[in-house]
PDB file of all heavy atoms in Angstrom:
ATOM      1  N   CYS A  72      77.668-198.094 -58.368  1.00  0.00           N
ATOM      2  CA  CYS A  72      76.670-198.724 -59.160  1.00  0.00           C
ATOM      3  C   CYS A  72      76.361-200.161 -58.681  1.00  0.00           C
ATOM      4  O   CYS A  72      75.250-200.572 -58.490  1.00  0.00           O
ATOM      5  CB  CYS A  72      77.061-198.733 -60.635  1.00  0.00           C
ATOM      6  SG  CYS A  72      75.961-199.621 -61.726  1.00  0.00           S
ATOM      7  N   TYR A  75      74.198-200.399 -55.581  1.00  0.00           N
ATOM      8  CA  TYR A  75      72.779-200.109 -55.863  1.00  0.00           C
ATOM      9  C   TYR A  75      72.137-201.296 -56.534  1.00  0.00           C
ATOM     10  O   TYR A  75      71.010-201.717 -56.129  1.00  0.00           O
ATOM     11  CB  TYR A  75      72.598-198.835 -56.792  1.00  0.00           C
ATOM     12  CG  TYR A  75      72.894-197.549 -56.076  1.00  0.00           C
ATOM     13  CD1 TYR A  75      74.151-197.029 -56.010  1.00  0.00           C
ATOM     14  CD2 TYR A  75      71.859-196.898 -55.371  1.00  0.00           C
ATOM     15  CE1 TYR A  75      74.424-195.812 -55.398  1.00  0.00           C
ATOM     16  CE2 TYR A  75      72.111-195.681 -54.714  1.00  0.00           C
ATOM     17  CZ  TYR A  75      73.378-195.129 -54.759  1.00  0.00           C
ATOM     18  OH  TYR A  75      73.612-193.953 -54.128  1.00  0.00           O
ATOM     19  N   ILE A  76      72.843-201.924 -57.488  1.00  0.00           N
ATOM     20  CA  ILE A  76      72.286-203.065 -58.166  1.00  0.00           C
ATOM     21  C   ILE A  76      72.061-204.275 -57.150  1.00  0.00           C
ATOM     22  O   ILE A  76      70.941-204.903 -57.106  1.00  0.00           O
ATOM     23  CB  ILE A  76      73.132-203.552 -59.351  1.00  0.00           C
ATOM     24  CG1 ILE A  76      73.032-202.459 -60.422  1.00  0.00           C
ATOM     25  CG2 ILE A  76      72.765-204.908 -59.815  1.00  0.00           C
ATOM     26  CD1 ILE A  76      74.017-202.744 -61.609  1.00  0.00           C
ATOM     27  N   ASN A  77      73.034-204.473 -56.294  1.00  0.00           N
ATOM     28  CA  ASN A  77      72.925-205.598 -55.308  1.00  0.00           C
ATOM     29  C   ASN A  77      71.831-205.327 -54.322  1.00  0.00           C
ATOM     30  O   ASN A  77      71.178-206.311 -53.890  1.00  0.00           O
ATOM     31  CB  ASN A  77      74.254-205.749 -54.587  1.00  0.00           C
ATOM     32  CG  ASN A  77      75.365-206.358 -55.506  1.00  0.00           C
ATOM     33  OD1 ASN A  77      75.008-207.044 -56.551  1.00  0.00           O
ATOM     34  ND2 ASN A  77      76.567-206.177 -55.159  1.00  0.00           N
ATOM     35  N   ALA A  78      71.633-204.088 -53.943  1.00  0.00           N
ATOM     36  CA  ALA A  78      70.647-203.745 -52.840  1.00  0.00           C
ATOM     37  C   ALA A  78      69.197-203.636 -53.362  1.00  0.00           C
ATOM     38  O   ALA A  78      68.297-203.967 -52.648  1.00  0.00           O
ATOM     39  CB  ALA A  78      71.112-202.541 -52.109  1.00  0.00           C
ATOM     40  N   LEU A  79      69.081-203.033 -54.520  1.00  0.00           N
ATOM     41  CA  LEU A  79      67.746-202.652 -55.035  1.00  0.00           C
ATOM     42  C   LEU A  79      67.082-203.599 -55.952  1.00  0.00           C
ATOM     43  O   LEU A  79      65.841-203.709 -56.036  1.00  0.00           O
ATOM     44  CB  LEU A  79      67.753-201.268 -55.676  1.00  0.00           C
ATOM     45  CG  LEU A  79      68.199-200.091 -54.813  1.00  0.00           C
ATOM     46  CD1 LEU A  79      68.232-198.803 -55.685  1.00  0.00           C
ATOM     47  CD2 LEU A  79      67.229-199.923 -53.636  1.00  0.00           C
ATOM     48  N   PHE A  80      67.846-204.353 -56.712  1.00  0.00           N
ATOM     49  CA  PHE A  80      67.336-205.160 -57.798  1.00  0.00           C
ATOM     50  C   PHE A  80      67.382-206.665 -57.530  1.00  0.00           C
ATOM     51  O   PHE A  80      68.396-207.075 -56.862  1.00  0.00           O
ATOM     52  CB  PHE A  80      68.056-204.853 -59.155  1.00  0.00           C
ATOM     53  CG  PHE A  80      67.976-203.421 -59.554  1.00  0.00           C
ATOM     54  CD1 PHE A  80      68.901-202.448 -59.179  1.00  0.00           C
ATOM     55  CD2 PHE A  80      66.857-203.001 -60.312  1.00  0.00           C
ATOM     56  CE1 PHE A  80      68.816-201.154 -59.496  1.00  0.00           C
ATOM     57  CE2 PHE A  80      66.745-201.632 -60.705  1.00  0.00           C
ATOM     58  CZ  PHE A  80      67.747-200.697 -60.270  1.00  0.00           C
ATOM     59  N   THR A  81      66.438-207.364 -57.943  1.00  0.00           N
ATOM     60  CA  THR A  81      66.462-208.854 -57.756  1.00  0.00           C
ATOM     61  C   THR A  81      66.588-209.492 -59.189  1.00  0.00           C
ATOM     62  O   THR A  81      66.257-208.837 -60.188  1.00  0.00           O
ATOM     63  CB  THR A  81      65.165-209.314 -57.174  1.00  0.00           C
ATOM     64  OG1 THR A  81      64.063-208.858 -57.802  1.00  0.00           O
ATOM     65  CG2 THR A  81      65.127-208.800 -55.707  1.00  0.00           C
ATOM     66  N   GLU A  82      67.048-210.703 -59.201  1.00  0.00           N
ATOM     67  CA  GLU A  82      67.114-211.486 -60.489  1.00  0.00           C
ATOM     68  C   GLU A  82      68.002-210.734 -61.494  1.00  0.00           C
ATOM     69  O   GLU A  82      67.717-210.770 -62.703  1.00  0.00           O
ATOM     70  CB  GLU A  82      65.761-211.794 -61.101  1.00  0.00           C
ATOM     71  CG  GLU A  82      64.929-212.686 -60.129  1.00  0.00           C
ATOM     72  CD  GLU A  82      63.560-212.992 -60.818  1.00  0.00           C
ATOM     73  OE1 GLU A  82      63.480-213.238 -62.001  1.00  0.00           O
ATOM     74  OE2 GLU A  82      62.546-212.992 -60.120  1.00  0.00           O
ATOM     75  N   TYR A  83      69.039-210.023 -60.982  1.00  0.00           N
ATOM     76  CA  TYR A  83      69.899-209.271 -61.936  1.00  0.00           C
ATOM     77  C   TYR A  83      70.674-210.272 -62.750  1.00  0.00           C
ATOM     78  O   TYR A  83      71.344-211.113 -62.233  1.00  0.00           O
ATOM     79  CB  TYR A  83      70.799-208.407 -61.141  1.00  0.00           C
ATOM     80  CG  TYR A  83      71.890-207.725 -62.029  1.00  0.00           C
ATOM     81  CD1 TYR A  83      71.549-206.797 -62.975  1.00  0.00           C
ATOM     82  CD2 TYR A  83      73.233-208.000 -61.822  1.00  0.00           C
ATOM     83  CE1 TYR A  83      72.510-206.187 -63.785  1.00  0.00           C
ATOM     84  CE2 TYR A  83      74.226-207.441 -62.570  1.00  0.00           C
ATOM     85  CZ  TYR A  83      73.882-206.449 -63.540  1.00  0.00           C
ATOM     86  OH  TYR A  83      74.824-205.929 -64.329  1.00  0.00           O
ATOM     87  N   ALA A 103      66.956-206.964 -64.821  1.00  0.00           N
ATOM     88  CA  ALA A 103      66.664-207.245 -63.418  1.00  0.00           C
ATOM     89  C   ALA A 103      65.215-206.950 -63.056  1.00  0.00           C
ATOM     90  O   ALA A 103      64.398-206.608 -64.006  1.00  0.00           O
ATOM     91  CB  ALA A 103      67.637-206.377 -62.588  1.00  0.00           C
ATOM     92  N   ARG A 104      64.863-207.017 -61.843  1.00  0.00           N
ATOM     93  CA  ARG A 104      63.580-206.621 -61.367  1.00  0.00           C
ATOM     94  C   ARG A 104      63.644-205.596 -60.286  1.00  0.00           C
ATOM     95  O   ARG A 104      64.533-205.761 -59.366  1.00  0.00           O
ATOM     96  CB  ARG A 104      62.787-207.843 -60.826  1.00  0.00           C
ATOM     97  CG  ARG A 104      62.331-208.854 -61.970  1.00  0.00           C
ATOM     98  CD  ARG A 104      61.481-209.950 -61.422  1.00  0.00           C
ATOM     99  NE  ARG A 104      61.103-210.890 -62.471  1.00  0.00           N
ATOM    100  CZ  ARG A 104      60.115-210.807 -63.277  1.00  0.00           C
ATOM    101  NH1 ARG A 104      59.351-209.735 -63.195  1.00  0.00           N
ATOM    102  NH2 ARG A 104      59.905-211.795 -64.180  1.00  0.00           N
ATOM    103  N   LEU A 105      62.838-204.631 -60.315  1.00  0.00           N
ATOM    104  CA  LEU A 105      62.684-203.599 -59.303  1.00  0.00           C
ATOM    105  C   LEU A 105      61.351-203.645 -58.735  1.00  0.00           C
ATOM    106  O   LEU A 105      60.353-203.381 -59.496  1.00  0.00           O
ATOM    107  CB  LEU A 105      63.038-202.215 -59.841  1.00  0.00           C
ATOM    108  CG  LEU A 105      62.931-201.066 -58.842  1.00  0.00           C
ATOM    109  CD1 LEU A 105      63.937-201.137 -57.750  1.00  0.00           C
ATOM    110  CD2 LEU A 105      63.026-199.680 -59.508  1.00  0.00           C
ATOM    111  N   ASP A 106      61.222-204.032 -57.507  1.00  0.00           N
ATOM    112  CA  ASP A 106      59.924-204.208 -56.878  1.00  0.00           C
ATOM    113  C   ASP A 106      59.024-205.208 -57.702  1.00  0.00           C
ATOM    114  O   ASP A 106      57.830-205.057 -57.855  1.00  0.00           O
ATOM    115  CB  ASP A 106      59.198-202.858 -56.809  1.00  0.00           C
ATOM    116  CG  ASP A 106      58.054-202.861 -55.768  1.00  0.00           C
ATOM    117  OD1 ASP A 106      58.187-203.709 -54.779  1.00  0.00           O
ATOM    118  OD2 ASP A 106      57.094-202.055 -55.872  1.00  0.00           O
ATOM    119  N   LYS A 108      59.093-205.781 -60.893  1.00  0.00           N
ATOM    120  CA  LYS A 108      58.861-205.367 -62.260  1.00  0.00           C
ATOM    121  C   LYS A 108      60.141-205.440 -63.113  1.00  0.00           C
ATOM    122  O   LYS A 108      61.152-204.976 -62.628  1.00  0.00           O
ATOM    123  CB  LYS A 108      58.232-203.988 -62.325  1.00  0.00           C
ATOM    124  CG  LYS A 108      56.845-203.893 -61.674  1.00  0.00           C
ATOM    125  CD  LYS A 108      56.233-202.568 -61.745  1.00  0.00           C
ATOM    126  CE  LYS A 108      54.854-202.477 -61.071  1.00  0.00           C
ATOM    127  NZ  LYS A 108      54.272-201.119 -61.070  1.00  0.00           N
ATOM    128  N   VAL A 110      63.143-204.512 -65.450  1.00  0.00           N
ATOM    129  CA  VAL A 110      63.796-203.280 -65.861  1.00  0.00           C
ATOM    130  C   VAL A 110      65.183-203.632 -66.536  1.00  0.00           C
ATOM    131  O   VAL A 110      65.729-204.737 -66.281  1.00  0.00           O
ATOM    132  CB  VAL A 110      64.061-202.281 -64.770  1.00  0.00           C
ATOM    133  CG1 VAL A 110      62.719-201.737 -64.217  1.00  0.00           C
ATOM    134  CG2 VAL A 110      64.941-202.915 -63.624  1.00  0.00           C
ATOM    135  N   MET A 111      65.707-202.734 -67.316  1.00  0.00           N
ATOM    136  CA  MET A 111      67.071-202.827 -67.789  1.00  0.00           C
ATOM    137  C   MET A 111      67.890-201.775 -67.024  1.00  0.00           C
ATOM    138  O   MET A 111      67.552-200.602 -67.076  1.00  0.00           O
ATOM    139  CB  MET A 111      67.147-202.585 -69.288  1.00  0.00           C
ATOM    140  CG  MET A 111      68.584-202.738 -69.833  1.00  0.00           C
ATOM    141  SD  MET A 111      69.190-204.432 -69.868  1.00  0.00           S
ATOM    142  CE  MET A 111      68.204-205.078 -71.278  1.00  0.00           C
ATOM    143  N   VAL A 112      68.873-202.236 -66.288  1.00  0.00           N
ATOM    144  CA  VAL A 112      69.700-201.335 -65.459  1.00  0.00           C
ATOM    145  C   VAL A 112      71.101-201.261 -66.099  1.00  0.00           C
ATOM    146  O   VAL A 112      71.657-202.258 -66.387  1.00  0.00           O
ATOM    147  CB  VAL A 112      69.709-201.738 -63.998  1.00  0.00           C
ATOM    148  CG1 VAL A 112      70.208-203.136 -63.751  1.00  0.00           C
ATOM    149  CG2 VAL A 112      70.568-200.678 -63.176  1.00  0.00           C
ATOM    150  N   ILE A 155      66.802-197.986 -66.556  1.00  0.00           N
ATOM    151  CA  ILE A 155      67.324-197.143 -65.495  1.00  0.00           C
ATOM    152  C   ILE A 155      68.844-197.060 -65.639  1.00  0.00           C
ATOM    153  O   ILE A 155      69.538-198.084 -65.833  1.00  0.00           O
ATOM    154  CB  ILE A 155      66.994-197.771 -64.139  1.00  0.00           C
ATOM    155  CG1 ILE A 155      65.465-197.771 -63.905  1.00  0.00           C
ATOM    156  CG2 ILE A 155      67.672-197.098 -62.981  1.00  0.00           C
ATOM    157  CD1 ILE A 155      65.047-198.588 -62.687  1.00  0.00           C
ATOM    158  N   LEU A 157      72.480-195.492 -64.052  1.00  0.00           N
ATOM    159  CA  LEU A 157      73.130-194.957 -62.790  1.00  0.00           C
ATOM    160  C   LEU A 157      74.446-194.378 -63.240  1.00  0.00           C
ATOM    161  O   LEU A 157      75.353-195.063 -63.669  1.00  0.00           O
ATOM    162  CB  LEU A 157      73.328-196.105 -61.807  1.00  0.00           C
ATOM    163  CG  LEU A 157      72.085-196.917 -61.414  1.00  0.00           C
ATOM    164  CD1 LEU A 157      72.444-198.095 -60.502  1.00  0.00           C
ATOM    165  CD2 LEU A 157      71.151-195.962 -60.627  1.00  0.00           C
ATOM    166  N   LEU A 287      63.039-194.192 -57.526  1.00  0.00           N
ATOM    167  CA  LEU A 287      62.907-194.919 -58.791  1.00  0.00           C
ATOM    168  C   LEU A 287      61.477-195.536 -58.951  1.00  0.00           C
ATOM    169  O   LEU A 287      60.882-195.444 -60.072  1.00  0.00           O
ATOM    170  CB  LEU A 287      63.931-196.036 -58.947  1.00  0.00           C
ATOM    171  CG  LEU A 287      65.421-195.568 -59.217  1.00  0.00           C
ATOM    172  CD1 LEU A 287      66.298-196.725 -59.141  1.00  0.00           C
ATOM    173  CD2 LEU A 287      65.482-194.955 -60.608  1.00  0.00           C
TER     174      LEU A 287
END
Side-chain angles (χ1 to χ4, degrees):
C72 177
Y75 287 91
I76 289 176
N77 289 338
L79 295 178
F80 301 92
T81 57
E82 298 182 39
Y83 173 66
R104 290 185 184 274
L105 178 65
D106 201 24
K108 297 179 180 179
V110 295
M111 182 70 76
V112 58
I155 294 169
L157 303 173
L287 285 173

